[in-house]
């Protein structure tokens, strides 16, 4: 058709074909196409034909007309193409902003974090993962107990354990359990495992460590061992979990395993070596005549527990009942002994080599146990001499190695005694003893914090006097207040909807007044663990971050955590420092400041509703006299 139009109009432009003036067919085609110019191919065709028609009409020397038609086609075509382009650009911007806001929405971020293993879970999802991990640890312990009870020893790898499963479970159930372990936000590991070595007791260590960055900072580490006791700790390593983690599950003992208040002198049945719960009736192979003789008085039992001559099994069995014989007011003595043993362990580990595959090896750099003590090789430990060996006892230690390193099992006995006193003692009596301890420096203040925290987390409560003491320590000078670092983040099981929630806020508010970021930032991080949301503390933390002179990265990082705790849209701030991204950190910090300006009135209103609760909490905490500055 175009070829026909071209040939006709070309003939019309020659003098030999002069005749009546004709209307350009190409102009008519252009104006028709321009009507549909909102469809890009037609719009382009209309403009091209319009320009060609205009050029040929001008060259026809008056034989062709339709210039007005051509101009109309071009105007309509260009106008429609412009409107289509403008509409497309506007729609794209609207769609882009909608998608951006959609992704920043708190609910959508929750879904994205659930689906993306590289994203940090929100507090609710992290809490669910924590509970799931705790359940998985308990199930793994049950599988180990069952496997050991069948005379097959302990399983020493997660793969073997998942394949074994609980007795009676179907392959589908085993597969589902394995999937939960592998997909968990926690990493499970079995270590220090001895299943069939006749020279050493059967044992294992199980740890569940939160995966980063999936789990937020401050997530608890879980641990368990062959005793069936499950512990957790929020600050430290998996080694610290075994050493000083607080118990969240203790295996129930049958009535026959609970020792009476007074020793009964009768021969107990002999238990096979290996895993057993030490008590008067389950001796674990200990010489019970010596143990019962030690149970006659606190003084005799103490000497028995701390003596190098006491055997490993005898010391553990004796310690299992020691809390019924040694009174609570001996706790200062127990604390001092634990501190002395821990100090000595940190120097030479009593000559025992570390388990080579655990995540923390403090003695790896030492060639010999004597590297840190020089010529002072004879140590006085709990009043008894101990000669530090020249060489490390290879892992696993032999029976002779264990006997030689007697402070190691004395330390274990002290931990059992301490744990049982906390578990079974009167909490009011224990707190009374704790609040009478000296509080003059970091070490003494830390001792009070540890003792009162252990009681509070075991009983899931703490009186105002204890909260007030923590506040006094936090308000003290720099040699004392550092003992309070991270204390707010360890109160998750203590703080409920009663006065403890308001008293926890008071501790956090006091932390924000201290010019020490090692105290301030853990308090801000702990806001996510307080429920319901502590708006007074959250508002004060936001104001602190916007006025702080600290680095932009730290302000943005902490601001991101605070927004997450409040359920607000996140900044998208990086979780790891990169010196090349200073400008990005500054932008994130500025965006947090802008957010506060928009949200401050709303947060202030919610904080005002808590004002009376906070004031009453301060009054109740003011009765504490221990550690008062």
């Amino acid at each position: 058709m175009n070829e026909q139009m071209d040939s006709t109009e070309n003939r019309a432009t020659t003098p030999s074909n002069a005749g009546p003036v004709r209307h350009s067919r190409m102009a008519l085609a252009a104006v028709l196409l321009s009507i549909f110019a909102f469809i890009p191919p037609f719009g382009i065709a209309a403009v091209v034909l319009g320009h060609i028609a205009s050029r040929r009409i001008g060259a026809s020397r008056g034989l062709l007309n339709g210039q007005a038609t051509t101009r109309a086609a071009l105007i309509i075509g260009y106008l429609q193409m412009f409107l289509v382009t403008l509409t497309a650009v506007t729609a794209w911007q609207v769609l882009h902003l909608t998608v951006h806001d959609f992704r920043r929405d708190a609910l959508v971020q929750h879904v994205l974090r659930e689906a993306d293993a590289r994203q940090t879970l929100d507090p609710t999802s992290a809490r669910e993962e924590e509970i799931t991990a705790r359940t998985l640890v308990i199930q793994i312990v049950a599988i180990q107990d069952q496997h050991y009870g069948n005379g097959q020893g302990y399983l020493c790898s997660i793969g073997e354990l998942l394949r074994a499963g609980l007795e009676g479970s179907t392959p589908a159930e085993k597969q589902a359990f394995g999937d939960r372990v592998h997909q968990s936000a926690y990493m499970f590991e079995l270590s220090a495992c001895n299943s069939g070595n006749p020279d050493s007791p059967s044992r294992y260590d199980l740890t569940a460590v939160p995966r980063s960055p999936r789990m937020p900072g401050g997530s608890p580490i879980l641990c368990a061992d062959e005793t069936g006791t499950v512990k957790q700790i929020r600050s430290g390593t998996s080694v610290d979990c075994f050493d000083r983690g607080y118990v969240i599950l203790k295996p129930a003992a049958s009535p026959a395993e609970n020792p009476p208040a007074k020793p009964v002198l009768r021969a107990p049945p002999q238990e096979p070596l290996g895993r057993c719960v030490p008590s008067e009736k389950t001796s674990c192979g200990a010489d019970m005549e010596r143990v019962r003789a030690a149970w006659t008085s606190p003084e005799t039992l103490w000497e028995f527990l701390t003596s190098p001559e006491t055997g490993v099994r005898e010391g553990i069995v004796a310690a299992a009942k020691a809390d019924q014989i040694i009174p609570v007011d001996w706790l200062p003595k127990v604390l001092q002994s634990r501190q002395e043993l821990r100090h000595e362990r940190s120097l030479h580990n009593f000559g025992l080599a570390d388990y080579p595959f655990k995540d923390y090896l403090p003695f790896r750099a030492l060639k010999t146990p004597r590297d840190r003590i020089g010529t002072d090789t004879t140590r006085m430990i709990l009043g008894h001499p101990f000669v530090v060996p020249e060489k490390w006892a290879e892992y696993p230690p032999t029976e002779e190695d264990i006997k030689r390193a007697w402070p190691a099992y004395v330390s274990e006995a002290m931990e059992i005694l301490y744990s049982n006193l906390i578990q079974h003692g009167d909490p009011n009596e224990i707190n009374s003893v704790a609040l009478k301890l000296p509080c003059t420096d970091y070490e003494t203040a830390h001792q009070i914090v540890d003792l009162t925290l252990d009681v509070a987390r075991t009983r899931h409560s703490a009186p105002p006097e204890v909260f007030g003491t923590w506040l006094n320590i936090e308000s003290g000078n720099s040699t004392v207040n550092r003992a309070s670092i991270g204390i707010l983040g360890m109160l998750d099981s203590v703080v409920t909807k009663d006065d403890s929630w308001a008293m926890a806020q008071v501790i956090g508010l006091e932390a924000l007044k201290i010019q020490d970021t090692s105290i301030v930032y853990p308090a801000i991080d702990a806001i996510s663990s307080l429920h319901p949301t502590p708006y007074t503390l959250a508002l004060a933390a936001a104001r602190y971050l916007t006025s702080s002179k600290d680095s932009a990265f730290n302000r943005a990082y902490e601001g991101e955590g605070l927004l997450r705790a409040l359920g607000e849209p996140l900044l998208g701030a990086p979780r790891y420092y990169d010196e090349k991204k200073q400008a990005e950190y500054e932008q994130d910090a500025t965006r947090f400041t802008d957010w506060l300006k928009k949200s401050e009135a709303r947060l202030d209103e919610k904080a005002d509703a808590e004002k009376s609760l906070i004031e009453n909490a301060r009054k109740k905490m003011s009765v504490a006299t221990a550690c008062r500055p």
Side-chain angles (χ1 to χ4, degrees):
M1 178 180 176
N2 287 343
E3 292 177 357
Q4 291 176 353
M5 287 191 293
D6 289 343
S7 62
T8 300
E9 293 187 3
N10 285 336
R11 288 196 298 271
T13 61
T14 62
S16 61
N17 291 329
V21 178
R22 298 179 181 181
H23 202 90
S24 173
R25 295 178 182 179
M26 192 172 290
L28 292 174
V31 78
L32 287 174
L33 287 173
S34 69
I35 298 173
F36 302 97
F38 59 87
I39 303 175
F42 291 109
I44 294 172
V47 170
V48 171
L49 287 177
H51 281 290
I52 295 174
S54 178
R55 186 173 64 251
R56 289 182 176 176
I57 290 171
S60 69
R61 302 176 183 177
L63 295 179
L64 291 175
N65 66 9
Q67 196 67 262
T69 303
T70 302
R71 283 197 297 270
L74 289 172
I75 292 172
I76 295 172
Y78 275 120
L79 180 61
Q80 288 214 63
M81 289 178 67
F82 172 75
L83 292 175
V84 168
T85 303
L86 180 63
T87 302
V89 171
T90 303
W92 171 256
Q93 290 180 337
V94 171
L95 179 62
H96 176 74
L97 291 174
T98 301
V99 171
H100 183 69
D101 291 340
F102 179 76
R103 289 180 62 86
R104 288 170 61 85
D105 181 80
L107 178 60
V108 175
Q109 286 185 346
H110 171 82
V111 175
L112 293 177
R113 281 192 292 269
E114 288 288 339
D116 189 351
R118 296 169 298 176
Q119 294 292 320
T120 302
L121 292 169
D122 59 271
T124 301
S125 299
R127 180 63 175 167
E128 292 173 355
E129 286 288 346
E130 177 186 330
I131 294 172
T132 299
R134 187 181 302 180
T135 303
L136 294 175
V137 167
I138 294 171
Q139 289 178 299
I140 291 174
V141 169
I143 294 173
Q144 289 282 45
D145 287 349
Q146 178 181 279
H147 203 265
Y148 183 87
N150 291 335
Q152 303 174 49
Y154 291 120
L155 297 164
C156 291
S157 77
I158 293 294
E160 290 178 335
L161 190 142
L162 297 180
R163 286 192 292 272
L166 283 171
E167 187 174 345
S169 58
T170 65
E173 290 171 335
K174 293 178 182 179
Q175 180 64 42
F177 179 69
D179 291 342
R180 291 178 68 194
V181 171
H182 291 308
Q183 296 170 8
S184 172
Y186 276 73
M187 180 173 61
F188 297 83
E189 181 181 4
L190 283 168
S191 59
C193 185
N194 176 36
S195 178
N197 186 348
D199 295 330
S200 302
S202 297
R203 66 183 304 268
Y204 69 88
D205 287 346
L206 169 66
T207 56
V209 180
R211 299 180 188 268
S212 179
R214 192 65 170 150
M215 293 296 288
S219 297
I221 295 173
L222 306 170
C223 60
D225 56 21
E226 72 281 354
T227 66
T229 301
V230 181
K231 299 179 180 180
Q232 79 173 35
I233 190 168
R234 287 195 177 272
S235 59
T237 66
S238 55
V239 177
D240 297 322
C241 181
F242 288 106
D243 289 344
R244 54 186 178 86
Y246 67 91
V247 177
I248 58 176
L249 179 68
K250 193 171 184 179
S254 65
E257 291 176 324
N258 289 326
K262 296 181 180 180
V264 179
L265 300 177
R266 57 187 176 190
Q270 290 297 314
E271 295 289 334
L273 290 178
R275 182 185 183 275
C276 65
V277 179
S279 71
E280 184 184 8
K281 292 185 177 295
T282 50
S283 63
C284 302
D287 184 344
M288 290 305 296
E289 289 187 11
R290 295 184 62 207
V291 173
R292 291 193 185 92
W295 280 341
T296 55
S297 70
E299 292 78 11
T300 304
L301 178 55
W302 183 264
E303 182 61 32
F304 185 77
L305 291 176
T306 58
S307 172
E309 305 302 323
T310 302
V312 179
R313 295 176 177 83
E314 286 75 14
I316 301 303
V317 175
K321 187 182 174 180
D323 61 294
Q324 300 181 26
I325 299 167
I326 292 179
V328 167
D329 58 12
W330 279 40
L331 264 173
K333 194 173 183 177
V334 176
L335 292 172
Q336 183 178 357
S337 299
R338 290 172 76 232
Q339 183 176 359
E340 183 178 343
L341 288 163
R342 287 182 175 184
H343 172 68
E344 290 294 329
R345 180 187 293 273
S346 69
L347 294 177
H348 45 72
N349 201 37
F350 313 120
L352 300 174
D354 272 327
Y355 172 63
F357 301 111
K358 71 181 183 181
D359 56 353
Y360 177 59
L361 298 171
F363 303 101
R364 173 183 290 175
L366 303 184
K367 294 182 179 180
T368 74
R370 298 182 175 183
D371 286 359
R372 290 178 179 168
I373 59 175
T375 58
D376 189 14
T377 57
T378 301
R379 317 287 295 179
M380 292 301 295
I381 303 178
L382 303 184
H384 301 281
F386 171 71
V387 179
V388 179
E390 295 182 3
K391 298 180 180 180
W392 293 108
E394 294 184 3
Y395 187 91
T398 64
E399 190 79 16
E400 286 301 316
D401 291 332
I402 295 174
K403 287 181 180 179
R404 191 180 302 113
W406 61 266
Y409 62 78
V410 171
S411 179
E412 185 175 352
M414 282 295 153
E415 294 301 323
I416 294 173
L417 169 58
Y418 175 79
S419 177
N420 285 344
L421 283 172
I422 299 299
Q423 290 277 341
H424 306 138
D426 183 335
N428 295 327
E429 189 177 354
I430 297 173
N431 285 330
S432 177
V433 171
L435 300 184
K436 294 176 182 176
L437 293 172
C439 188
T440 56
D441 54 22
Y442 170 80
E443 293 294 339
T444 53
H446 202 282
Q447 201 169 61
I448 294 174
V449 169
D450 280 350
L451 180 53
T452 51
L453 263 178
D454 286 340
V455 176
R457 290 156 69 178
T458 300
R459 307 309 171 97
H460 306 296
S461 65
E465 293 82 4
V466 170
F467 272 97
T469 300
W470 294 335
L471 182 63
N472 291 343
I473 291 174
E474 189 176 63
S475 306
N477 58 40
S478 58
T479 63
V480 173
N481 63 15
R482 295 186 64 79
S484 68
I485 291 178
I487 190 171
L488 195 60
M490 293 183 276
L491 297 179
D492 57 326
S493 64
V494 180
V495 174
T496 57
K497 293 183 180 179
D498 59 10
D499 291 343
S500 60
W501 174 79
M503 290 189 287
Q505 286 208 67
V506 173
I507 290 177
L509 292 169
E510 188 63 35
L512 297 178
K513 299 178 183 178
I514 303 171
Q515 299 301 314
D516 185 343
T517 55
S518 65
I519 295 176
V520 173
Y521 286 155
I524 297 177
D525 294 339
I527 291 176
S528 61
S529 66
L530 300 181
H531 302 285
T533 303
Y535 286 104
T536 303
L537 178 56
L539 177 58
R543 287 170 173 166
Y544 173 91
L545 292 175
T546 55
S547 62
S548 171
K549 302 301 182 183
D550 196 11
S551 69
F553 171 80
N554 286 340
R555 286 183 281 125
Y557 180 90
E558 294 298 327
E560 183 91 335
L562 183 57
L563 292 175
R564 185 179 292 110
L566 292 172
E568 296 284 332
L570 302 183
L571 303 172
R575 292 185 57 81
Y576 303 102
Y577 179 76
D578 184 344
E579 62 181 8
K580 299 178 181 179
K581 296 183 178 181
Q582 295 296 334
E584 183 179 339
Y585 303 150
E586 291 288 354
Q587 291 176 356
D588 290 332
T590 300
R591 287 164 55 201
F592 179 79
T593 301
D594 294 340
W595 167 83
L596 180 59
K597 290 177 181 178
K598 297 176 182 178
S599 308
E600 192 164 14
R602 173 171 54 88
L603 294 176
D604 211 359
E605 182 179 353
K606 293 184 177 183
D608 280 341
E610 301 173 357
K611 187 174 181 180
S612 61
L613 296 174
I614 301 294
E615 290 177 350
N616 290 334
R618 284 189 182 277
K619 290 179 181 178
K620 291 182 178 181
M621 296 166 72
S622 65
V623 302
T625 57
C627 299
R628 180 172 289 176

